[in-house]
Amino acid sequence: MKTILFLAVLAIFPQTSFAKNFVYCSEGSPSSFNPQLVTDGTSITATSANIYNRLVEFEAGGTRIVPGLATSWEISKDKKTYTFTLRKGVKFHTTKYFTPTRDFNADDVVFSFDRQRLTSHPYHNVSGGKYEYFDGMEMGTLMKEIKVLDPYKIQITLAQPDAPFLANMAMSFMSILSKEYADKLTAANKKADMDNFPIGTGAYQFISYQKDSVIRYEEHKGYWGKKGNVDKLIFAITPDANVRTQKLKTGECQFASEPSPADIPEMQKNPKLTVISDAGLNIGFLAMNVTKKPFNNVLVRQAISHALDKKTYIAAIYMGNATIAKNLIPPTVWSYNNAIVDYDYNIAKAKELLKKAGFPNGFETEMWTLPVARPYNPNGKKMGELMQADLAKIGIKVKLISYDWPTYLEKSKTGAHSLIQFGWNGDNGDPDNFFNVLLSCSAVKAGSNYARWCNDKFNKLILDAKTATDIKTRTKLYEQAQVVIHDEAPVVNIAHSKAFKAMAKNIKGYKIDPLGLDYLTNVVVE
């Protein structure tokens, strides 16, 4: 059966040079093909990592900022004005549904940023108008003015200095879309196609998508940068980690995203496979929706923090390839507060806190379990079962619920959950990318604060840290912010996991990304 499936995939792309086809086994379906509208790694890998570019990029395999669609930039002395010189001769994708008549220029930058920041923009409300990153990081209020100095020079003025601004510009949500394509769709009354049939400047261009099955791309022959030798890129959507492993072993795919920790030892022994790993810049956590009773009670949240046996989860879910998390940021991120004392696994203490909160016999609730394998949570269902058993020990009866990945993401933005498994992989190496995106007051509205926790003291600390001009001041503020998170316990920090990537031996040129994405631009199939 597997052989038949593989042949069916090959039949889609009959090639005289099979070696240039690359089948990537993805763990889930993208929720959109517009990176402005997504925050999850699955969707970002399927979109911005391979279809789009940004003015500045992260160096392959690292977090150093390098030129992208901008060749250079200048920062004013007051650190409020950024002037970008744009790259000339950059071609947008030519597809069956769009043929560009001009190269990339400043108009595309203005369109891409203004769609997110201006509510009056004609595309702002297309596809729901939810810009979680942009709004959660308050980029709209930060970016005071965007001015075109000439077709290849653009100036952005900030309302105040912002330490992580340049790193944020390299993130997926700041990808550049085509204004010419948008204008064409407006004239045809098909604006929603902008987010379903993408046009970018990246190394691969979109061909088609069969929901929950396969995404097809082909190389962008006019790509401005360096690239590998892949002609046809195929995302074979395979939610089950064990199935991804089998497909990799039988040659049905050449790269398996998020392999199961249980499969790693056998993969490492297989002479036909390459397994690489690195410390993940991530956090897996359980969020408690503080807008719903009884999770509005800090004593209940602290009780749950004491009731979950993280040590068991590390052994059973991560197979030891993770460390227990006591803070939202991993130890490799600067400003990590090592003085924090974690909630210990203490059933007696948990029962005592529940009783003090007015729930001596516990209560009933629901927990949403992660439906896709991510490095920060390789098996949401199994972890949910372990958490369910732990909470039963203190009288909390938990019903486990899950959805397909796009639905899980969409419903969680509105706060429909009570307890929810989630996680995060850092996008730029800055602490702000964790604290602001996941727990700020603005992130509640944006939909990325799954605890829906808005704490004035915490919020002031992280906002002051953003505008501080020296790293010592920022570090002190973030250390204080971590104390507030610990005491208020809106989330239970579970684990910082090690990231593994598995691929066929003949795949070269891939570099593991510390930010958790799969950039396939430089892949070479030997």
Side-chain angles (χ1 to χ4, degrees):
M1 181 62 180
K2 290 173 183 173
T3 302
I4 294 172
L5 288 173
F6 185 44
L7 292 174
V9 171
L10 297 185
I12 296 166
F13 295 115
Q15 286 277 306
T16 55
S17 177
F18 163 69
K20 293 186 180 181
N21 285 345
F22 182 62
V23 182
Y24 171 94
C25 273
S26 170
E27 77 282 2
S29 301
S31 54
S32 171
F33 281 96
N34 180 352
Q36 298 174 334
L37 302 170
V38 302
T39 59
D40 63 292
T42 302
S43 298
I44 294 172
T45 290
T47 59
S48 68
N50 296 295
I51 299 177
Y52 294 97
N53 294 114
R54 291 138 295 284
L55 296 187
V56 294
E57 308 270 4
F58 293 115
E59 181 181 40
T63 56
R64 187 170 72 91
I65 304 297
V66 297
L69 294 180
T71 56
S72 63
W73 52 92
E74 297 176 0
I75 306 172
S76 62
K77 288 185 179 180
D78 64 2
K79 298 186 179 180
K80 290 168 61 176
T81 302
Y82 290 70
T83 304
F84 295 90
T85 299
L86 306 183
R87 190 178 299 275
K88 295 181 179 179
V90 174
K91 309 295 182 185
F92 279 102
H93 299 156
T94 297
T95 67
K96 291 181 179 179
Y97 51 87
F98 178 68
T99 301
T101 64
R102 64 164 176 82
D103 292 346
F104 154 78
N105 64 30
D107 289 342
D108 303 303
V109 179
V110 174
F111 169 83
S112 301
F113 296 169
D114 279 357
R115 171 177 175 171
Q116 298 179 87
R117 82 185 184 103
L118 302 178
T119 56
S120 60
H121 192 275
Y123 268 82
H124 183 79
N125 292 317
V126 173
S127 301
K130 272 280 190 180
Y131 306 98
E132 285 185 62
Y133 267 133
F134 194 87
D135 293 339
M137 299 169 77
E138 300 184 286
M139 293 289 281
T141 54
L142 176 64
M143 298 172 74
K144 185 178 179 182
E145 182 183 32
I146 302 176
K147 184 186 296 183
V148 175
L149 302 182
D150 67 45
Y152 292 95
K153 187 163 286 189
I154 194 160
Q155 190 175 83
I156 300 175
T157 303
L158 307 183
Q160 67 273 335
D162 187 82
F165 177 71
L166 200 60
N168 292 344
M169 290 288 286
M171 288 171 55
S172 61
F173 72 100
M174 297 304 275
S175 294
I176 303 302
L177 284 62
S178 165
K179 182 181 184 299
E180 184 184 15
Y181 180 45
D183 291 343
K184 177 190 173 184
L185 293 176
T186 298
N189 197 27
K190 293 182 177 180
K191 287 183 181 179
D193 282 4
M194 190 84 185
D195 307 325
N196 298 316
F197 299 92
I199 293 292
T201 58
Y204 298 104
Q205 58 191 42
F206 179 83
I207 299 176
S208 64
Y209 170 46
Q210 291 174 252
K211 184 171 170 44
D212 300 331
S213 178
V214 63
I215 313 171
R216 304 180 183 95
Y217 309 88
E218 64 184 6
E219 70 164 326
H220 173 30
K221 296 186 184 299
Y223 180 55
W224 57 271
K226 294 180 180 179
K227 61 181 178 180
N229 70 345
V230 175
D231 292 326
K232 305 293 183 182
L233 173 63
I234 306 162
F235 275 39
I237 299 168
T238 314
D240 190 301
N242 294 322
V243 176
R244 290 197 299 277
T245 297
Q246 290 305 312
K247 285 186 175 182
L248 181 63
K249 288 166 63 177
T250 59
E252 291 181 59
C253 61
Q254 293 139 299
F255 191 108
S257 70
E258 317 307 345
S260 169
D263 293 333
I264 297 299
E266 184 184 350
M267 285 179 156
Q268 290 172 326
K269 296 175 184 177
N270 191 325
K272 295 181 180 179
L273 303 180
T274 297
V275 179
I276 58 177
S277 64
D278 199 2
L281 198 71
N282 60 45
I283 175 67
F285 59 83
L286 179 74
M288 294 171 271
N289 188 341
V290 303
T291 65
K292 290 188 175 183
K293 294 180 179 181
F295 306 108
N296 60 329
N297 188 324
V298 67
L299 297 177
V300 170
R301 302 197 298 269
Q302 291 174 345
I304 290 174
S305 299
H306 278 295
L308 299 180
D309 186 2
K310 301 179 188 179
K311 187 176 180 180
T312 294
Y313 308 158
I314 298 296
I317 306 296
Y318 302 89
M319 303 299 166
N321 293 308
T323 57
I324 290 175
K326 64 180 181 180
N327 292 321
L328 194 69
I329 58 174
T332 51
V333 174
W334 59 269
S335 82
Y336 180 84
N337 190 343
N338 199 38
I340 296 285
V341 178
D342 196 14
Y343 291 91
D344 62 327
Y345 174 56
N346 191 326
I347 295 297
K349 180 67 174 176
K351 287 182 176 180
E352 178 186 330
L353 287 166
L354 266 192
K355 183 178 180 180
K356 192 175 179 181
F359 298 93
N361 300 314
F363 54 86
E364 294 184 6
T365 190
E366 295 178 347
M367 180 190 297
W368 292 13
T369 62
L370 200 71
V372 294
R374 306 298 297 154
Y376 53 71
N377 186 348
N379 192 330
K381 184 176 183 293
K382 186 173 181 179
M383 183 176 285
E385 291 167 351
L386 292 175
M387 289 179 166
Q388 182 185 50
D390 283 342
L391 293 175
K393 296 173 187 175
I394 62 171
I396 300 177
K397 298 178 181 178
V398 177
K399 179 182 179 182
L400 301 179
I401 295 175
S402 197
Y403 301 92
D404 64 85
W405 186 225
T407 303
Y408 193 90
L409 290 169
E410 188 60 33
K411 290 175 74 69
S412 64
K413 293 175 187 177
T414 65
H417 56 279
S418 294
L419 298 173
I420 187 169
Q421 294 176 4
F422 244 107
W424 190 252
N425 204 99
D427 294 292
N428 58 24
D430 195 289
D432 175 74
N433 182 245
F434 285 82
F435 299 127
N436 204 0
V437 174
L438 296 175
L439 289 178
S440 70
C441 294
S442 60
V444 175
K445 182 179 179 182
S448 58
N449 183 338
Y450 303 107
R452 306 190 75 79
W453 176 71
C454 176
N455 181 281
D456 291 339
K457 182 179 180 181
F458 171 81
N459 220 58
K460 185 178 187 306
L461 286 168
I462 63 170
L463 291 179
D464 287 348
K466 272 172 65 73
T467 57
T469 56
D470 70 281
I471 197 165
K472 286 185 178 180
T473 301
R474 295 188 74 204
T475 296
K476 185 177 179 180
L477 292 166
Y478 285 133
E479 286 176 345
Q480 294 173 24
Q482 288 166 79
V483 173
V484 179
I485 296 172
H486 173 270
D487 293 348
E488 289 293 315
V491 298
V492 182
N493 297 309
I494 304 296
H496 305 297
S497 70
K498 199 171 183 180
F500 289 89
K501 302 293 178 180
M503 64 205 78
K505 206 76 173 180
N506 67 326
I507 300 302
K508 308 296 180 183
Y510 174 86
K511 288 188 177 182
I512 195 166
D513 177 39
L515 307 177
L517 306 177
D518 285 326
Y519 290 90
L520 307 174
T521 296
N522 295 314
V523 164
V524 172
V525 182
E526 291 185 342

